[in-house]
Amino acid sequence: MPDEDGYFGEDIATDYDESSAAMFRPEAVDPVVDVLAGLAGAGPALEFGVGTGRIALPLAARGTPVHGIELSRAMADRLRAKPGGDAVDVTIGDFATTTAPGGPFAVVYLVFNTINNLTTQNAQVDCFRNAAAQLRPGGTLVIEVGVPDLRRLPPGQTAVPFRVDAEGWAFDTYDVATQAMSSHYVTIDDGKAEHWSIPFRYVWPAELDLMARLAGLRLRDRWEGWSRAPFTGESTGHVSVWEKPAA
């Protein structure tokens, strides 16, 4: 069960960077920072769900003032302990409703499926409204999120595996009636299995566009990824950029 840190408490924060090591490699980080730095210009930028600073720290190192909102104190503590951590101010709170100091912001962004951590449609709508309220005119909201992998579900099946190896396995489960999903991780250590899961709510690109419209934002760009490749019907994820109209 989650504690005051949500599903990212001390037990997860302790080795979060190691468990997501591939996402911390330069080839995964640099394209993200390139896009965000270009959108932010002189800044400032605001990250919803800043975590341990995977993107915020290198973005700040580029000279963009960065603020973060993070529910988990344990994750925020890891960020602050890193070199350059004092350059990123973090406000503890729910990013669907929490306001950060230092605004209005040139760009607000959520990466690595963070929008799915809000497990109701109402909370996701609130997130868009919260972002729009903290953007300056002409500013942008950027979201990186996967496209629901429902085409891999035959009738009667609810689970899709995405990792199987000698150290364990991982799979997603879907409820297509409610758009609820959970990611499950089973690790095997010395012959013993340990299970951990986290709930999400998957969301479609068109649904995100409607949330943006309700918040007064308009779609500017949608790419398959941070390289700005075109988004197609075969894309497994997207990076979408919505703009707040200039005053």
Side-chain angles (χ1 to χ4, degrees):
M1 294 296 290
D3 55 20
E4 64 177 6
D5 283 346
Y7 286 87
F8 293 90
E10 188 65 38
D11 54 337
I12 300 301
T14 297
D15 59 0
Y16 177 81
D17 290 13
E18 290 74 16
S19 65
S20 304
M23 296 302 296
F24 284 80
R25 293 172 182 162
E27 58 266 31
V29 171
D30 290 348
V32 185
V33 175
D34 287 343
V35 170
L36 294 175
L39 290 171
L46 173 61
E47 180 170 356
F48 282 0
V50 69
T52 64
R54 181 178 72 94
I55 300 301
L57 290 173
L59 182 58
R62 293 272 189 100
T64 299
V66 182
H67 196 103
I69 295 176
E70 176 58 50
L71 181 63
S72 170
R73 294 180 185 275
M75 297 286 276
D77 287 345
R78 296 301 184 284
L79 185 159
R80 294 186 181 107
K82 292 180 178 180
D86 56 349
V88 179
D89 292 327
V90 179
T91 300
I92 301 298
D94 179 352
F95 59 74
T97 57
T98 300
T99 299
F105 295 92
V107 62
V108 176
Y109 64 95
L110 300 87
V111 296
F112 202 18
N113 299 315
T114 297
I115 186 67
N116 292 345
N117 286 106
L118 300 174
T119 57
T120 68
Q121 187 182 68
N122 284 340
Q124 291 172 343
V125 169
D126 288 343
C127 173
F128 271 78
R129 287 175 172 156
N130 191 32
Q134 298 187 70
L135 280 172
R136 66 191 183 195
T140 53
L141 169 63
V142 184
I143 291 181
E144 175 195 24
V145 66
V147 174
D149 206 8
L150 301 189
R151 288 192 295 181
R152 295 181 62 192
L153 286 177
Q157 181 173 316
T158 61
V160 174
F162 59 87
R163 182 178 69 84
V164 177
D165 55 39
E167 297 178 351
W169 56 91
F171 59 95
D172 289 328
T173 56
Y174 294 88
D175 183 337
V176 297
T178 64
Q179 292 181 217
M181 64 174 289
S182 293
S183 291
H184 300 262
Y185 302 87
V186 179
T187 57
I188 301 173
D189 184 16
D190 196 24
K192 297 180 180 179
E194 182 176 330
H195 172 253
W196 173 66
S197 67
I198 182 170
F200 299 103
R201 180 184 185 270
Y202 67 80
V203 62
W204 300 100
E207 189 180 7
L208 291 170
D209 289 341
L210 183 56
M211 294 179 186
R213 184 175 177 183
L214 291 172
L217 307 176
R218 60 191 178 200
L219 182 66
R220 194 171 92 179
D221 292 295
R222 173 163 290 136
W223 310 302
E224 183 175 87
W226 296 102
S227 67
R228 297 185 176 92
F231 177 77
T232 73
E234 298 302 315
S235 299
T236 59
H238 62 98
V239 174
S240 295
V241 181
W242 296 273
E243 186 176 53
K244 184 173 183 175

